[in-house]
Amino acid sequence: MTSLYGRGQVTGLPQWDRCAVMGVVNVTPDSFSDGGRWFDTTAAVKHGLDLVARGADLVDVGGESTRPGAARVDEDEELRRVIPVVRGLASEGVVVSVDTMRACVAERSLAAGAALVNDVSGGLADPAMIPVVADAGAPFVVMHWRGFLRGDNVKGTYEDVVGEVVDELHARVEAVLAGGIAADRIILDPGLGFSKEAEHDLVLLAHLDRLGALGHPLLVAASRKRFLGRVLAGAEGSPPPARERDAATAAVSALAAHAGAWAVRVHEVRATADAVRVARAMEEARAAGSAPGTRGERGAEGDR
Ligand code: PMM
């Protein structure tokens, strides 16, 4: 199947036969689309379990907002937010990902049962991150990142956004491999909205094949992001608020799944869980339709 360039098995995680659904639990007071809603440990664990009941295959737990201009949370506070939620979900059998730029938070989360480390800085923010993940033998999400979202860095300038993101991710993969993380545990992510304008995000989504050609599974995290607001607003209108972007998010999930993404990271799981299943059914139909002899059989049934 030529369209499935980015999917693949990640050693250390379950294997799904379709694009996986990663539900988001932001244990923060200030994330851009759901800040403050799951700030309490009990509410956050319950929300993670709800996401699984609605179709999430894994749950991404984060304790630090990455929205533009956000102040960094101190390490103790991040640990206080994240660890009990990771432990609570892992103890219920949930496959937990920890969304952190700090090695200490990654290490303690892995000890508390997390299966995956999702670092939006791809190991750049904390030099201890790669050694910690390598020592634990954990899978690692390497997102495209050009630094903290402050000042000029919020926007990002590119001459060829796809080429530059591919090259910069390739350089990160080399660094991560040199740091001892195994190739079959590396997941790549284009970093939609991170030092990127709406048009950059759209071009990257339109060229997931170029990122997939780096040879690692792809995670696509479009959920509720600003570029969707821009698309929905049209030329003159104002963007709908983040929580009114879930249908558009599910559309991206279907397209990303069809393009071969390994997983999509979303706040509202149900519609995306449906979207990836439809994409999967279409892949099966395509495979069946192109199998030798199948066309004739289908045709005969259709004749009746
Ligand atoms: N975006 C956010 C947070 N974590 N992780 C990965 N791998 N990729 C992303 O694009 C990403 C992320 C910001 O969104 P949120 O505040 O809604 O969680």
Side-chain angles (χ1 to χ4, degrees):
M1 294 267 294
T2 49
S3 71
L4 299 181
Y5 23 73
R7 197 162 302 153
Q9 165 70 356
V10 179
T11 302
L13 293 178
Q15 181 158 22
W16 296 282
D17 69 348
R18 53 167 168 70
C19 178
V21 180
M22 177 187 276
V24 180
V25 176
N26 283 321
V27 195
T28 59
D30 58 344
S31 286
F32 84 99
S33 85
D34 58 353
R37 296 193 70 198
W38 332 112
F39 195 40
D40 158 81
T41 300
T42 311
V45 171
K46 181 178 180 309
H47 182 56
L49 295 173
D50 286 348
L51 292 176
V52 171
R54 277 183 248 142
D57 299 299
L58 61 170
V59 172
D60 192 39
V61 178
E64 177 171 38
S65 170
T66 51
R67 74 182 156 72
R72 291 220 67 186
V73 173
D74 76 43
E75 186 170 288
D76 286 345
E77 174 62 11
E78 192 182 344
L79 287 166
R80 191 197 65 74
R81 293 177 185 181
V82 164
I83 303 303
V85 180
V86 169
R87 185 175 295 114
L89 288 171
S91 71
E92 295 286 337
V94 176
V95 181
V96 178
S97 156
V98 60
D99 185 344
T100 185
M101 290 183 269
R102 286 198 171 99
C104 169
V105 177
E107 190 169 34
R108 299 263 300 270
S109 295
L110 291 167
L116 168 69
V117 177
N118 172 25
D119 179 356
V120 299
S121 82
L124 285 167
D126 184 342
M129 178 64 93
I130 293 172
V132 157
V133 176
D135 280 354
F140 189 49
V141 175
V142 176
M143 197 192 83
H144 177 260
W145 192 73
R146 283 187 167 180
F148 293 99
L149 298 181
R150 292 181 198 127
D152 289 347
N153 207 31
V154 174
K155 285 188 181 292
T157 28
Y158 302 85
E159 285 190 6
D160 163 16
V161 65
V162 178
E164 287 166 57
V165 168
V166 166
D167 288 351
E168 289 165 34
L169 276 176
H170 178 68
R172 289 311 303 149
V173 169
E174 296 289 305
V176 164
L177 288 170
I181 298 178
D184 58 0
R185 293 177 195 259
I186 298 172
I187 298 152
L188 299 180
D189 181 329
L192 302 175
F194 284 79
S195 304
K196 294 171 192 83
E197 296 295 291
E199 52 272 28
H200 299 139
D201 292 335
L202 288 165
V203 174
L204 284 164
L205 279 173
H207 290 91
L208 289 179
D209 55 332
R210 302 259 309 274
L211 278 87
L214 288 167
H216 295 276
L218 296 181
L219 172 64
V220 173
S223 188
R224 298 180 176 174
K225 282 192 175 163
R226 192 161 40 98
F227 79 97
L228 293 175
R230 277 278 305 280
V231 169
L232 297 175
E236 304 294 326
S238 52
R243 277 196 231 139
E244 290 172 26
R245 300 174 193 168
D246 287 331
T249 299
V252 177
S253 296
L255 292 165
H258 182 65
W262 167 76
V264 285
R265 177 185 181 277
V266 294
H267 301 87
E268 198 287 304
V269 153
R270 188 55 190 269
T272 278
D274 289 353
V276 299
R277 281 166 177 77
V278 171
R280 169 68 185 152
M282 284 175 56
E283 283 165 19
E284 278 173 5
R286 176 194 282 242
S290 59
T294 322
R295 275 174 213 273
E297 286 160 29
R298 291 272 184 274
E301 270 177 32
D303 285 345
R304 281 202 292 274

